[in-house]
Amino acid sequence: MNYCVLPGIGIHGGIKVGFQFAQLLSEAGVPIAAATPGGLAPSWFRCAQPVVDRQYVLANAGPSDTLVFSLPHDYPVLKAIGARLIFHCQGTDPLIDPVLHDRDVTVLSCWEQAAHYARTVAGREAIDVGISIPDIFFYDGAAKDPCLVAFMPRRGAMIAERAMNQAHHLRYVPIDNDTEEVCAATLKRSGFFLATAAGEWFGLPALEAMAAGCVVVSVPVVAMEHLRDGDTACVAEPARLPMVLEDISGESAGLRRAALRDRGAAMASRYRTALHRRKLESAMRAGLRDALSWN
């Protein structure tokens, strides 16, 4: 059996990405369940994936099972079990280096920067399995408020506060502990998305905001393949972000806003779930199928 071993069910991008990956594998005919503490399923996004108790899996998995994980802290515990391991690489903290150096672990990458890191650190060619945005985030013609700025206060609240003081002609709406459905609806009615999580690995909320038709103003993240300053988004260091937001929201920046919105939406379209399924098919042919359990 295959298990996607997750540390919890809280509102974190890595949890959602893990469940999405398990769901796509399941749709491709792979026998797989998500293993979470207490066997609980998340309630903040739609999930039809079977869930089992993580502790039961850790106690009973063996050599015929395959454990998919993304949290490097889980590696020592999972390694000791003796099951086959697949590392679903969602970030490039040096804590993952021992995992990459273990040639018995199959390495998957969600984006190019992660693949480059595996290549540079350990000489590993990761299998590209991609990442996607749920269809619920893509703009559907809902009425937009051009002066509304959505932001997530959990990380970078002080940056957002400085932006409010600088660009006070705008209105701000926090996305905090909301379900995916509420989050998507907020983004679809907002003119801007202020991404304030400095040092984030990928910045998935910014990509979801592009899909929803927002002008994205973001701090730099580790993987910048979707955040292209002046092309798909406005990207600036935290200290400059309030000034950049004030500038791009000004009366004279209408054409620039339209271009950013259009190119951001075009970038987000590359991350459709349908395209993710095709990438997974390629990953199966590239070696993922052989790493999985089929009993």
Side-chain angles (χ1 to χ4, degrees):
M1 183 63 176
N2 302 283
Y3 299 98
C4 183
V5 181
L6 297 166
I9 58 171
I11 303 178
H12 301 284
I15 301 299
K16 182 164 71 170
V17 170
F19 266 94
Q20 286 176 337
F21 184 57
Q23 182 68 46
L24 289 176
L25 286 173
S26 184
E27 292 173 3
V30 177
I32 186 168
T36 67
L40 299 175
S43 60
W44 56 281
F45 62 89
R46 296 179 184 177
C47 172
Q49 188 61 26
V51 180
V52 296
D53 182 68
R54 172 188 163 111
Q55 198 56 43
Y56 175 85
V57 171
L58 298 186
N60 292 279
S64 63
D65 299 307
T66 299
L67 308 180
V68 183
F69 70 104
S70 60
L71 187 68
H73 303 78
D74 283 338
Y75 170 64
V77 175
L78 300 184
K79 180 68 175 178
I81 290 174
R84 293 192 288 182
L85 300 183
I86 295 178
F87 181 51
H88 187 211
C89 185
Q90 298 180 30
T92 51
D93 189 293
L95 288 173
I96 75 172
D97 291 2
V99 183
L100 299 179
H101 284 291
D102 186 342
R103 297 284 168 165
D104 291 330
V105 178
T106 299
V107 177
L108 314 178
S109 62
C110 293
W111 49 80
E112 177 54 36
Q113 187 271 338
H116 176 75
Y117 187 89
R119 195 177 303 122
T120 302
V121 168
R124 303 288 302 272
E125 288 298 330
I127 300 172
D128 179 15
V129 295
I131 195 170
S132 60
I133 309 167
D135 289 342
I136 193 173
F137 283 98
F138 284 87
Y139 186 62
D140 54 9
K144 280 270 187 193
D145 183 340
C147 293
L148 192 64
V149 183
F151 71 101
M152 294 183 173
R154 186 174 61 181
R155 293 176 61 189
M158 291 182 63
I159 301 172
E161 185 176 343
R162 290 198 298 269
M164 293 176 198
N165 293 331
Q166 177 98 24
H168 46 74
H169 62 288
L170 299 171
R171 295 184 299 280
Y172 297 81
V173 55
I175 299 173
D176 191 22
N177 294 319
D178 288 328
T179 65
E180 187 176 69
E181 186 174 3
V182 171
C183 178
T186 300
L187 290 173
K188 287 176 184 177
R189 66 186 175 88
S190 299
F192 297 88
F193 178 70
L194 188 65
T196 58
E200 194 168 32
W201 286 334
F202 185 78
L204 188 61
L207 192 59
E208 292 170 341
M210 290 179 192
C214 297
V215 174
V216 171
V217 181
S218 177
V219 295
V221 299
V222 177
M224 294 286 290
E225 60 192 60
H226 60 304
L227 286 171
R228 300 175 181 173
D229 184 34
D231 181 24
T232 62
C234 293
V235 182
E237 294 297 331
R240 294 189 58 249
L241 209 66
M243 293 177 285
V244 171
L245 176 62
E246 182 180 38
D247 175 63
I248 195 61
S249 63
E251 291 184 9
S252 62
L255 292 178
R256 283 195 292 144
R257 285 195 298 274
L260 287 168
R261 189 176 293 113
D262 289 348
R263 289 194 290 262
M267 174 61 74
S269 69
R270 302 180 188 180
Y271 294 84
R272 283 274 191 182
T273 300
L275 298 178
H276 196 181
R277 289 192 182 97
R278 290 186 212 167
K279 183 164 284 190
L280 187 60
E281 292 172 3
S282 298
M284 287 290 205
R285 295 190 294 269
L288 176 56
R289 179 179 295 277
D290 296 334
L292 294 164
S293 299
W294 294 93
N295 58 335

